[in-house]
Amino acid sequence: MSDLVDLTSRLLDDGYVICTEKTGEQFTVLLRRTRAEGRRVFCGTGNNFPDALVDAAEEAAVPAA
């Protein structure tokens, strides 16, 4: 659980906005950050929130732990 808290804290400190949605059994997490070169959105999916968050963080190149 502390790894999830650390990852979430790191993402928020880096200026990401975390949005999540659950459709049936599938979670989708969007990480959004506005940068000087334009808006960036990263998406992750999984069977639970932590897996979807890690998937999105990996796409954004933010190490999980």
Side-chain angles (χ1 to χ4, degrees):
M1 184 66 153
S2 68
D3 289 341
L4 179 61
V5 172
D6 290 342
L7 176 59
T8 304
S9 295
R10 210 167 336 125
L11 288 167
L12 294 172
D13 288 345
D14 286 348
Y16 285 97
V17 175
I18 302 169
C19 303
T20 186
E21 177 182 61
K22 184 176 185 214
T23 307
E25 298 297 317
Q26 188 75 22
F27 282 83
T28 301
V29 171
L30 297 176
L31 300 178
R32 184 180 64 87
R33 179 166 66 173
T34 302
R35 294 184 175 182
E37 65 270 11
R39 182 176 292 172
R40 297 290 313 227
V41 177
F42 303 97
C43 181
T45 58
N47 293 331
N48 55 52
F49 174 75
D51 288 345
L53 182 64
V54 169
D55 189 35
E58 287 173 352
E59 184 178 326
V62 176

